[in-house]
Amino acid sequence: MLLPTSASVRARVDRLEIPWNRYGLDPYGVSKDHLAEMFTTFGWFYRNYFRVKCFGASNVPARGRAMLIGNHSGGVAIDGAMLITSCFFELDPPRLAQGMVEKFMSRVPFISARQARTGQFTGLPETAERLLHDDRLLMVFPEGARGTAKLYWERHSLVDFGTGFMRLAMKTRAPIIPVAILGGGEALPTVANSVTLGHLMGAPYVPIPAYLAPVPLPVQMEVHYGAPMEFHGSGSEDDEVVHGHVEAVKRVIATTMRERLRALGREPAEGLS
């Protein structure tokens, strides 16, 4: 498998269908230079370290608004980083998946600015809606921090999904692409979460892996894109209606995870059975 070079990555950045100005910036302040740096690094991890297997990439629209809705695990957002990288390297033309980052990240020096330069913004509803109206590819993990807080033995389970993503999809008429990601919980096998350390750092918690050092393991990860799902309405429907739609998306992700785990000879979590 060929590893990405800085030149090949830059060539793909140039193919992103984004309205760049003459300085290589888009209207949101996303930077071509920062993207090239990020994807050169992420590409090495994607191809060489986590050896990511991608399935169903053709389900992601080549252009136009869409929402990637996935499961979360693994202490930190390794799965999110690999999903962004998958959209960049596996789609033709490449697409930039733009995530809604936990609000505490906006208070972390340097990191928050770099995230914005690579298209990852604080999870504000108005920002997400604007991105979709501009026909961007939006990445959302409805489990939020509760998803990354899963302990190692919970890694293949799903916790409750928030409903905001569904109301947004209906309001903006954006198709939903369900995404099942496997391997995040193995990459950083968390055995405890320290809320105390988290508060000191301005975060909800700090994950503590079994081997203490916060360094991910070189496990193989998988990204499975499901068929697009469309939900019609205004986004202001009753909670009962919206919850039903959310559960439909969650079921698709759970089914994909369950079937793949069984194919790999692993026992699915009780919540996926």
Side-chain angles (χ1 to χ4, degrees):
M1 182 179 293
L2 293 177
L3 299 181
T5 64
S6 57
S8 65
V9 169
R10 185 62 191 230
R12 291 193 72 83
V13 170
D14 289 337
R15 294 184 60 208
L16 289 170
E17 297 181 359
I18 290 176
W20 306 109
N21 65 17
R22 59 177 178 168
Y23 303 108
L25 301 174
D26 84 340
Y28 294 89
V30 179
S31 161
K32 274 190 170 185
D33 291 339
H34 284 78
L35 287 178
E37 291 175 6
M38 179 182 77
F39 283 122
T40 298
T41 301
F42 282 10
W44 184 86
F45 279 97
Y46 185 89
R47 301 290 193 195
N48 197 46
Y49 196 79
F50 295 121
R51 309 180 311 284
V52 179
K53 290 184 176 181
C54 176
F55 302 85
S58 60
N59 285 317
V60 183
R63 51 189 54 84
R65 73 190 64 169
M67 296 178 69
L68 302 173
I69 304 300
N71 60 294
H72 230 354
S73 65
V76 294
I78 296 172
D79 45 16
M82 293 302 99
L83 179 54
I84 292 170
T85 309
S86 173
C87 289
F88 183 77
F89 285 107
E90 306 287 359
L91 303 184
D92 191 26
R95 296 202 67 175
L96 175 62
Q98 298 186 242
M100 295 288 97
V101 182
E102 291 289 337
K103 293 180 180 179
F104 77 88
M105 292 299 294
S106 65
R107 300 189 295 270
V108 181
F110 305 112
I111 293 180
S112 59
R114 180 163 288 274
Q115 283 183 326
R117 287 298 190 188
T118 56
Q120 314 307 312
F121 302 113
T122 302
L124 300 176
E126 55 269 28
T127 303
E129 184 173 347
R130 182 186 167 196
L131 286 167
L132 289 172
H133 280 305
D134 285 344
D135 287 335
R136 300 296 181 97
L137 184 62
L138 187 67
M139 178 181 70
V140 179
F141 293 97
E143 295 173 288
R146 295 167 302 158
T148 51
K150 294 172 191 170
L151 302 181
Y152 178 73
W153 45 89
E154 301 170 321
R155 65 195 183 283
H156 295 147
S157 64
L158 296 176
V159 298
D160 289 341
F161 278 26
T163 60
F165 80 92
M166 181 57 68
R167 293 190 182 277
L168 180 62
M170 296 170 74
K171 183 178 181 180
T172 60
R173 299 181 181 178
I176 286 174
I177 314 300
V179 185
I181 305 173
L182 298 178
E186 284 88 354
L188 197 70
T190 305
V191 295
N193 292 304
S194 175
V195 176
T196 301
L197 286 176
H199 287 170
L200 291 175
M201 300 175 65
Y205 62 88
V206 170
I208 301 175
Y211 46 87
L212 298 181
V215 178
L217 301 174
V219 302
Q220 185 165 66
M221 297 182 65
E222 296 186 358
V223 176
H224 296 257
Y225 296 99
M229 305 174 71
E230 296 190 15
F231 300 89
H232 303 288
S234 65
S236 59
E237 284 72 15
D238 291 341
D239 287 346
E240 183 178 358
V241 173
V242 175
H243 276 293
H245 293 336
V246 169
E247 287 303 307
V249 176
K250 186 178 179 181
R251 277 197 301 273
V252 171
I253 295 172
T255 298
T256 302
M257 293 174 66
R258 179 178 65 246
E259 291 177 351
R260 187 57 184 160
L261 287 168
R262 285 177 174 163
L264 293 171
R266 305 176 193 172
E267 187 62 30
E270 183 176 346
L272 297 181
S273 301

